[in-house]
Amino acid sequence: MSGLWWALGVSGVSLAVLGYYAFIYLPAQLHRWRCAGLKAFAQIVVLRTNGRYGKPEPMVALASHIALEMGLSLHERRRLELAIYLRDIGMVGIPYAVLNARERTLTEQMVLERHLEMGAAIAEQIPGLSGVAPIVRNHHADYADAPNAPISALIISALEEFLRLAEEVGLEDALGVLKADAGERFHPEVVEALCKVMRTRTQLWGISLDRAASLWL
Amino acid sequence: MYKRRFYLWFWLTSLGAVALLVFSSLQSDWRAHFSTLFILGMVALLTELLLLRYPYQASHAISGLWLSVSTPIVVAVIVLYGWHIGVWLDALATLGAGVITANLKGSHWRWVWLNTAQSVWSAFGAGWVASQVAPTVSLNQPLNLLSAVFFALLAYNAINSLLVGLTVALVDNRRPRWVLTHSLSSLPREMLTLLPLSILVTVMLSALGVAGLVVILAPYLAVRQAFLLWTRQQELYHQTIRSLGFLIMRAHPYTGGHLLRVAQWARRVAERMNLPPERCDLVYEAALLHDIGKTVLDERILNKPGRLTPEEWQMIKRHPQLGAEILSGTPFLKPIVSWIAYHHERPDGNGYPYGLQGGQIPLEARIIAVVDAFDAMIGGEAPSQQRQYRRSLSLEEALAELERSAGAQFDAQVVQVFKEVVQESQKQTPPPAEAFA
């Protein structure tokens, strides 16, 4: 009988260790590896555009909080993070002169917009990342024009604009613009989640919105 | 010569395995354990069929490696019932699964049989080691049981890796020492994953008999999942490298052939210089990415057919630095960052971008420098290379040019080894590689 208890004890411990290793630790590590690999892709865009496009931070941190607030699944949150690293990779195929022009003609602007399709095509060719391609393709989509675009794409679209405006006019005004355009350019739930995340930060630390922004940005 | 050596190896392994099987059937009492063994055989066959394909190994046979987790069942049988029964169980499960999956893996019958023979030898070795470590095992002697399982598993995996490694060395015409080191390097990881399961199978089989297999099912699936994710992780690393390489080729289509050639030559030089196998793989990958910094540059400069202005030349000279900057944020690419940063440095200190000298330049960067220049000389298609070398040289002329510049522009030892590799490759055409389990 003692042999049986011994057997059950060993099997219980083995099962717990193996289960944790196989179903929790390894999938998380796998995701970290994937993100680390995609950092190199993001860095190509950052360097090619002299820092103008492709920066993954602070968007990754902010997007993950918004996705959590919106109740997205772990799988969807991970896909969103991968898409942020890869979103502007299509710019590798856009002429250097167009990317780095101070002001662009209409034709040049149209050439630049091709980075969405090119990026999606590149994502489709990276094994295991084909699910990210629709997000890359739609990451500049307006909510009113593409209400059926993946929610992750609409989060990135709102955050691109929010972060750009925050640098230009400050956080308060940037949030104001997003609120005003909620339901039109931006998904209302995304804007609501963004506002809530920013508010929670300020309440949590008892600091001003701009101070909170400096921690984010 | 290669064929004769391989067939000698094939027949020796096979005849030895047949002799072991015959001898074991004379020694064992089949009837006493028939029903238990029949069910275990079916489970072992099932686990063999749920194979995992190790998707990519840069230095290994081209179609990858197939891993099986039936080993814990075989080890448990060897420890509890003896090697006489273990060899038969392993042989039948491996042969049965091999025949069924031959089409899936694209294997010839001789690989199926050789794999079976290697399993027999491994099971025999494991049984012998287990009997020396702990002649009798029972649940009341846990230390005996644990040590028997540990050493049996270690022996099984070590012998199997050795035999598979030697076969790969013969078929791929590689140096046995190099292949063996590579094969054995995965041993600790295999032990870590398979040991808990082997202990569990042995204990459950001993305590509950065949009914214990039901309890084993869950951990088995967990291990399988762990193997799947682990191989996926390895694959991710290689996918990243390949995808980055693909990006360079997409941005500059003419570099595709150049990058692949440089990568292949660089790995062969690294192997010949006796670098560890994993280092050789890294050299291959670094060579594939050595021009990644060019994706950042203005393509009007890169593609300019005429002479570059000093400002444009300064821009071009930044590409090793930019390449390093691209890869430095990715932890698993850290080892190759400095090689890419220094692949245009020269032993005499006249290289760029840092002007390092001699030993300050990593060996791997010196290897890439030699091979990169050689490929450019014999017809590297990039306009910048055509500018530099004006016209394509013949193989002999390019080797002579490398020798002339050895010690100043290129590392003399690397040039010498590279010359040997080129001459060797002209003499022989490597035989086609096949995958082994």
Side-chain angles (χ1 to χ4, degrees), chain A residues 4 6-7 11 15 18 22-23 26-27 29-30 33-34 36-37 39-41 43-44 47-48 95-97 125-127, chain B residues 142 200 203 208 219 222-223 225-226 229 233 236-237 239 243 246-247 295-300 325-326 329-330 332:
Chain A
L4 181 62
W6 199 77
S11 50
L15 191 59
L18 286 172
F23 294 102
L26 271 179
Q29 202 189 23
L30 199 65
W33 266 61
R34 182 141 246 177
K39 256 186 194 170
F41 289 82
Q43 187 65 6
I44 291 176
L47 290 171
R48 188 168 164 81
Y96 188 90
Q125 295 198 38
I126 302 176
Chain B
L200 186 61
V203 168
L208 303 174
V223 167
Q225 165 81 352
L229 290 171
Q233 186 170 317
L236 269 182
Y237 166 75
Q239 274 174 5
S243 302
F246 160 76
L247 261 186
T295 54
V296 171
L297 297 178
D298 190 340
E299 52 284 340
R300 287 171 300 184
E325 205 173 327
I326 288 168
T330 302
F332 58 80

Side-chain angles (χ1 to χ4, degrees), chain B residues 275-324:
Chain B
L275 296 190
E278 59 278 11
R279 205 82 177 161
C280 298
D281 284 349
L282 285 175
V283 169
Y284 176 90
E285 281 148 4
L288 202 60
L289 298 182
H290 73 277
D291 275 343
I292 188 83
K294 286 184 179 172
T295 54
V296 171
L297 297 178
D298 190 340
E299 52 284 340
R300 287 171 300 184
I301 300 174
L302 287 171
N303 298 339
K304 187 176 174 182
R307 188 174 286 276
L308 297 178
T309 65
E311 292 76 29
E312 288 169 337
W313 185 232
Q314 284 306 316
M315 289 294 288
I316 294 272
K317 279 177 158 181
R318 283 182 60 213
H319 85 269
Q321 217 173 345
L322 289 167

Side-chain angles (χ1 to χ4, degrees), chain B residues 77-271:
Chain B
V77 168
I78 287 170
V79 169
L80 294 174
Y81 303 108
W83 73 271
H84 313 96
I85 296 187
V87 289
W88 271 101
L89 180 76
D90 203 11
L92 292 175
T94 312
L95 188 63
V99 170
I100 294 169
T101 60
N103 277 341
L104 169 74
K105 294 199 290 181
S107 306
H108 192 274
W109 67 268
R110 66 170 169 266
W111 303 122
V112 175
W113 170 247
L114 189 60
N115 200 24
T116 307
Q118 286 167 348
S119 298
V120 169
W121 277 105
S122 308
F124 167 71
W128 185 81
V129 169
S131 66
Q132 299 301 307
V133 173
T136 56
V137 288
S138 78
L139 284 179
N140 297 324
Q141 298 167 298
L143 270 181
N144 261 11
L145 187 136
L146 288 178
S147 53
V149 172
F150 175 83
F151 285 106
L153 183 66
L154 183 66
Y156 186 97
N157 281 332
I159 294 169
N160 202 261
S161 298
L162 280 172
L163 295 175
V164 171
L166 281 171
T167 309
V168 171
L170 283 170
V171 173
D172 278 359
N173 209 14
R174 290 176 186 274
R175 280 185 298 175
R177 205 184 94 186
W178 188 87
V179 177
L180 289 178
T181 317
H182 198 138
S183 303
L184 291 173
S185 65
S186 60
L187 203 56
R189 203 184 284 260
E190 283 171 19
M191 286 296 292
L192 204 67
T193 320
L194 293 179
L195 186 61
L197 192 60
S198 301
I199 294 170
L200 186 61
V201 174
T202 312
V203 168
M204 297 312 287
L205 206 56
S206 176
L208 303 174
V210 176
L213 287 179
V214 179
V215 185
I216 293 162
L217 195 64
Y220 167 70
L221 291 176
V223 167
R224 190 166 186 274
Q225 165 81 352
F227 252 134
L228 275 174
L229 290 171
W230 174 63
T231 54
R232 187 90 190 93
Q233 186 170 317
Q234 302 297 310
E235 197 189 24
L236 269 182
Y237 166 75
H238 296 293
Q239 274 174 5
T240 306
I241 304 280
R242 287 200 300 270
S243 302
L244 285 168
F246 160 76
L247 261 186
I248 311 176
M249 294 171 204
R250 192 185 169 97
H252 315 288
Y254 46 77
T255 57
H258 168 69
L259 296 175
L260 284 173
R261 283 193 302 274
V262 171
Q264 282 159 359
W265 283 118
R267 182 164 67 200
R268 294 187 71 172
V269 173
E271 282 173 20

